[in-house]
Amino acid sequence: MDIPENDVIGELLRLAAAEESGHRRLALERAAHEAPMWPEEAAALAAAGRPLTELRSVGPWVAEKIASWLEDPPPAPEPDENRRGYLTWAKVRRVLADDPWWEATPHADLQVHSTASDGALAVDEMAEAARTLGRTAIASTDHSKSLKVARGMDEERLGEHVARIDAVNATYAEHGVDFRVLRSIEMDLFDQGDADMEPDALAGLDLVLGAFHSKLRVREDVTERYLAALRNPTIDVLAHPTTRMYGRRAGLTADWPRVFDEAARLGVAIELDATPRRQDLNVERARVAVAAGVRWFSMGSDAHAAEELGALPIAMATASLAGVPRDRILNYRSPDEIMVWAAERRG
């Protein structure tokens, strides 16, 4: 048997929790929840003689369980469809250590939220947090008005937000800071490809993301819904395309080669959302998109707080494993080039 990596250990912890009760069950469940984001493989810690209790939510009793699996590996359990195909943080770090170009090359983060909708920080604070991480730009993609639970912006509030972004950019320019906030939005898309914002309100934006936020648990094929969305002339990027969420839903079902063929035909970018519990597209779907000839990809941390900006490498590792050509990823273009691309695409 292969020595289990953290994704397998997480599933083993989950199964073990189901056989326990009380505080032991809670301890196993907490460790299972944290396993995907452990920064190192448990096997690597053990091999180096370091205690497994260095791992988050691993106490001595749980550490003994994990150590027994590392010493005598059990059959790897198959995760259910709601937890399948997610990269662990340890795997992400290994992939990018083998190919440091992804992080070393200047790049933007093309999905970031602020207090204009459901983010924790104002746009200038999120911009500074991203700049501290070495990003060249962020797209400020707060939600549109239909997503009331996220305080989505109507056209008037969008105009006010754009004015705040312009003020941030003016301050950077005044001080000679080479950083840009792109005027953007994450706009709701509906069944017939229509959206919830007036086209005139979008005309002054640098980048428009379109996303599904409703009817996400339907089981029937929704290929036509995707095709209609891609044909909406106001969107530049299809955000978190399959709508999956770790442990909650497997995502929508569609004829993905056909969907990606249409994205390629229309020049719409497909997002690699780096939220750890989204990872959407995953590696398998990203490979299908590459094979279909998708011309452009976009990477976004989908950060709603400063610490979440650090998730962007998940999208990089996905792109690396899926063989996404680097010259097709918008993030590695300059802010001006991204703006020109979007304007020409919509034009």
Side-chain angles (χ1 to χ4, degrees):
M1 294 284 186
D2 292 334
I3 296 175
E5 296 185 349
N6 290 353
D7 54 346
V8 173
I9 290 173
E11 290 301 312
L12 291 170
L13 288 165
R14 197 178 310 280
L15 292 175
E19 298 176 359
E20 299 285 350
S21 61
H23 70 278
R24 288 192 167 189
R25 179 170 189 159
L26 289 174
L28 291 164
E29 287 176 342
R30 282 195 295 268
H33 179 79
E34 294 292 344
M37 294 305 290
W38 289 338
E40 299 176 74
E41 295 288 352
L45 260 70
R50 293 161 57 193
L52 294 174
T53 50
E54 288 184 25
L55 300 171
R56 187 177 176 88
S57 294
V58 174
W61 180 71
V62 173
E64 287 180 12
K65 284 268 190 190
I66 297 172
S68 71
W69 297 329
L70 296 175
E71 185 175 342
D72 184 17
E78 180 67 23
D80 68 31
E81 63 176 0
N82 293 334
R83 298 192 305 278
R84 195 173 299 141
Y86 286 82
L87 299 177
T88 64
W89 188 249
K91 177 70 175 288
V92 168
R93 295 314 326 159
R94 288 203 309 277
V95 169
L96 298 181
D98 288 341
D99 191 355
W101 179 93
W102 293 94
E103 292 182 285
T105 305
H107 55 272
D109 185 338
L110 296 182
Q111 191 185 162
V112 173
H113 297 266
S114 75
T115 50
S117 62
D118 59 343
L121 296 175
V123 63
D124 59 328
E125 296 171 304
M126 286 299 279
E128 275 302 287
R131 193 168 74 88
T132 299
L133 292 176
R135 311 287 188 250
T136 59
I138 61 169
S140 185
T141 54
D142 283 291
H143 291 286
S144 59
K145 61 187 177 184
S146 292
L147 203 62
K148 298 186 185 302
V149 69
R151 294 186 61 252
M153 304 177 293
D154 59 18
E155 287 80 359
E156 181 179 355
R157 286 178 54 214
L158 173 60
E160 294 168 355
H161 185 52
V162 166
R164 286 192 291 272
I165 292 171
D166 289 345
V168 172
N169 285 331
T171 299
Y172 283 138
E174 180 183 348
H175 291 87
V177 176
D178 188 15
F179 186 87
R180 185 83 58 83
V181 181
L182 300 181
R183 297 169 293 183
S184 310
I185 193 169
E186 183 182 356
M187 180 174 65
D188 267 25
L189 297 171
F190 305 119
D191 285 1
Q192 304 306 313
D194 50 328
D196 66 345
M197 300 293 283
E198 292 297 324
D200 287 351
L202 305 173
L205 299 185
D206 302 319
L207 194 70
V208 176
L209 277 60
F212 298 134
H213 289 106
S214 59
K215 300 182 182 178
L216 304 184
R217 288 184 171 84
V218 298
R219 303 307 296 167
E220 65 267 20
D221 185 289
V222 292
T223 299
E224 294 301 325
R225 182 179 177 187
Y226 278 100
L227 298 179
L230 290 167
R231 291 166 186 160
N232 184 318
T234 65
I235 75 162
D236 305 309
V237 179
L238 182 63
H240 44 75
T242 73
T243 75
R244 72 179 192 154
M245 188 68 75
Y246 183 85
R248 289 173 52 189
R249 57 179 183 263
L252 297 172
T253 300
D255 180 343
W256 294 110
R258 189 177 170 205
V259 170
F260 296 139
D261 280 344
E262 188 70 354
R265 184 182 73 83
L266 296 169
V268 176
I270 298 296
E271 185 186 50
L272 304 174
D273 188 302
T275 304
R277 297 189 178 271
R278 283 192 187 274
Q279 298 191 30
D280 187 8
L281 296 172
N282 66 6
V283 173
E284 177 187 357
R285 290 278 184 266
R287 285 175 177 152
V288 175
V290 172
V294 168
R295 289 154 54 190
W296 296 105
F297 292 84
S298 171
M299 302 188 304
S301 66
D302 202 349
H304 289 66
E307 59 271 20
E308 294 172 1
L309 293 163
L312 195 62
I314 292 174
M316 298 175 185
T318 299
S320 178
L321 291 167
V324 177
R326 297 171 183 182
D327 61 358
R328 295 191 200 176
I329 301 177
L330 289 170
N331 303 62
Y332 293 102
R333 304 266 171 157
S334 71
D336 285 338
E337 288 172 329
I338 295 170
M339 293 163 61
V340 168
W341 169 82
E344 290 180 346
R345 204 205 68 75
R346 277 182 256 166

